[in-house]
Every structure is written in structure tokens, then in C-alpha cells.
Amino acid sequence: MHPMLTIAIRAARSAGDQILYAMDKVGQLQITHKGNNDYASEVDRNAESDIIHILRKAYPDHGILAEESGGHEVNNDYVWVIDPLDGTTNFLHGFPQFAVSIALKHKGKIEVGVVYDPLRDELFTAERGGGAMLNNRRLRVTKQPGLTDSLLGTGFPFKNEQYLDAYLGMFRTLCIESAGIRRAGAAALDLAYVAAGRLDGYWEIGLQEWDMAAGVLLVKEAGGVVTDFSFRDKYLESGNTIAGNPKMHQAMYLAIEPHVTDDLK
Ligand code: IPD
Ligand code: CA
Ligand code: CA
């Protein structure tokens, strides 16, 4: 195993333990309102400090891009991309779907990714060129050939309401053509579930890099395809993401494309 993946796993498990421990005290947490429908608690901040402490101890020269504390030395060749708690709104409501997400980029390419669901003790890991795993099992995307009978994941543009009309157009088409759509509330797990074959495909508008960096590597290493809404690989920049097995990705792209406005390209 890549030594940097070993460190990422250590950090993700440590943060996951903290999050689980804090679950019983959700009512007593200090919550910060960061923006439109965007919240963070001391659990997010403490988990992030813990992750950064573990990563920095092993790799003091690496850069960090983390949701709660921002970017530090992000021009470094190596940058860790951290979402300490993906699914904060779920966590704050006791809705059991959230995860820790940690990825490492080298010269802009995602090299390793970890998504850890502490409630289910599910550890999703990927190394570029080395495949994707869930605990000790190798992952593959589904063989689903098209939208009919497929199960999709998505996220709503609840922080970016200006995209709601475009999103609802996409949703309408995909709702009619698929067997079902799930909005579980943690993008990192949505992508991990595509990699694990639990979802046939997934799309979302306006993600941040930390929501998806680890998840997109999982999907690709499990044999899937990830693009933005213009069929390019600029998803980390735009945050607009379509993921699925190659046939599902193509079918979803064709369904989504007619609704894509200029500001989503
Ligand atoms: C959010 C979750 C959610 C997605 C949002 C993200 P957070 O992350 O991944 O599923 O729809 O776009 O911001 O704020 O809980 O870390
Ligand atoms: Ca997130
Ligand atoms: Ca978060």
C-alpha cells in the first residue's frame, strides 16, 4: 500500500472516531452559520485539526486544502484535500449518513483517496492505478447499460439556488427515465457508492473540491467515468459532476446536457 494512503487512513479513522463520540452530544454543539444553508460545528473543526495534525506530522512540507481552515501552501507539488465531515447537516440532525474524506493531489493529479463512514465502519480507499477497495474487498462500478432500471444519486443545489431551475430540468428527465433517485446528503459517500456499485450513477451541481476529490478517484479506480457537464475533466474546478459506469455516464450526460446553462458549462 502507498505509504501516503496509510497515513490518510490513520487520519480518517481518527477523525471518524471523534465524530462518532460527538454524536451523542449533537444538541450541545456550537454551530456556525457559514453561508446560505451552510453550517459547521466544533466537531467539523476538531476533526479537521486532528487530520491536519496527523498529516503534517508525517509530511510537514505538504500543502493543505481543508474545508474549515482553507488553503495552506497549496502551490506545493503535494496537496492534501480534506473534508473532515461530509454531510454536516445530516450529522447535526442525527441522520446517519456522513463521512470523512481525504485525498492527496500530486501536481494536480489525485493520487490517493479515502472516504470513511464511521457509523458503518466502511473504509473506501483508492490509489491511482491501483484500484479501489471497500475494507478488504475490491470495488467495481455496476454493469447497468442505461437509465432504464437504474438507481441514481444526486445532491440538490441548496446553497446555489440560482441553479435550481436548470437542476429541476435535469431531475425531471432523470426521474422519468431511471428507476429511482436518492439524495442521501454526503457527496463523498454518493461517489463511493457509485464505485461500490450501490448506485449506477450520480450527478450534482456546484460541489467543492474537498467534497469530491477522494470520491472521484474511487469511481475511476472502480472502472467508472467522471466528467463535468461539458464532458471534460474540469469537475474539480467547476464542481459540476457526472459519475457512473461508462454507459451510465454517457446516458446521464445526454439527459443532463439539454438543461445545462452557460454558467454551468
Ligand atoms: C455537502 C454534502 C452534500 C452536498 C453539498 C456539500 P458538507 O458537504 O456533500 O451532499 O450536496 O454540496 O456541500 O457541507 O456537509 O461538508
Ligand atoms: Ca462536503
Ligand atoms: Ca464538511
Side-chain angles (χ1 to χ4, degrees):
M1 188 186 286
H2 199 304
M4 293 175 187
L5 180 57
T6 310
I7 298 292
I9 291 171
R10 187 182 305 158
R13 283 197 181 277
S14 175
D17 288 349
Q18 278 199 33
I19 292 166
L20 269 194
Y21 178 75
M23 251 201 108
D24 295 338
K25 307 181 191 68
V26 161
Q28 300 153 39
L29 295 177
Q30 283 176 18
I31 298 163
T32 317
H33 193 195
K34 297 196 289 182
N36 187 27
N37 296 329
D38 195 6
Y39 307 92
S41 72
E42 60 209 79
V43 177
D44 302 60
R45 289 185 285 272
N46 292 344
E48 183 169 299
S49 309
D50 189 33
I51 293 167
I52 292 175
H53 177 75
I54 292 169
L55 298 178
R56 276 224 188 279
K57 203 167 154 197
Y59 301 107
D61 301 333
H62 288 186
I64 301 271
L65 174 65
E67 178 171 15
E68 309 305 335
S69 57
H72 310 274
E73 295 173 50
V74 287
N75 294 325
N76 199 301
D77 280 357
Y78 286 99
V79 179
W80 292 94
V81 183
I82 303 161
D83 190 338
L85 173 49
D86 184 50
T88 294
T89 302
N90 282 349
F91 174 78
L92 293 175
H93 289 260
F95 188 96
Q97 183 78 355
F98 45 80
V100 180
S101 175
I102 303 176
L104 175 66
K105 286 196 304 183
H106 180 238
K107 298 188 174 173
K109 272 210 163 90
I110 307 165
E111 290 294 328
V112 303
V114 177
V115 174
Y116 180 52
D117 172 348
L119 275 174
R120 299 178 181 86
D121 194 21
E122 288 194 323
L123 181 74
F124 300 87
T125 56
E127 297 178 46
R128 192 163 69 86
M133 310 281 284
L134 164 51
N135 296 336
N136 294 319
R137 184 165 62 79
R138 190 166 280 278
L139 297 181
R140 286 305 291 173
V141 291
T142 64
K143 294 191 167 62
Q144 174 66 29
L147 288 169
T148 307
D149 299 332
S150 69
L151 182 64
L152 306 181
T154 189
F156 302 140
F158 61 102
K159 294 178 200 163
N160 304 301
E161 286 147 13
Q162 72 272 27
Y163 301 133
L164 199 52
D165 288 342
Y167 177 80
L168 290 174
M170 301 169 186
F171 183 85
R172 187 172 200 284
T173 307
L174 288 167
C175 185
I176 292 168
E177 293 190 16
S178 69
I181 301 180
R182 302 288 178 264
R183 194 299 189 244
L189 283 177
D190 293 332
L191 286 159
Y193 283 16
V194 173
R198 294 173 181 174
L199 292 170
D200 297 303
Y202 160 77
W203 90 104
E204 185 157 350
I205 291 174
L207 290 173
Q208 298 292 329
E209 202 171 322
W210 45 75
D211 299 316
M212 62 166 134
V216 294
L217 186 65
L218 284 163
V219 173
K220 288 181 171 184
E221 289 298 327
V225 176
V226 183
T227 69
D228 62 12
F229 294 167
S230 303
F231 221 91
R232 294 171 313 185
D233 61 1
K234 300 277 179 227
Y235 41 83
L236 288 184
E237 287 90 329
S238 69
N240 303 327
T241 310
I242 307 174
N245 76 42
K247 286 186 176 149
M248 280 301 298
H249 176 276
Q250 173 78 17
M252 290 179 73
Y253 170 74
L254 292 174
I256 286 170
E257 199 275 331
H259 307 286
V260 174
T261 47
D262 284 347
D263 50 353
L264 288 173
K265 285 185 176 147

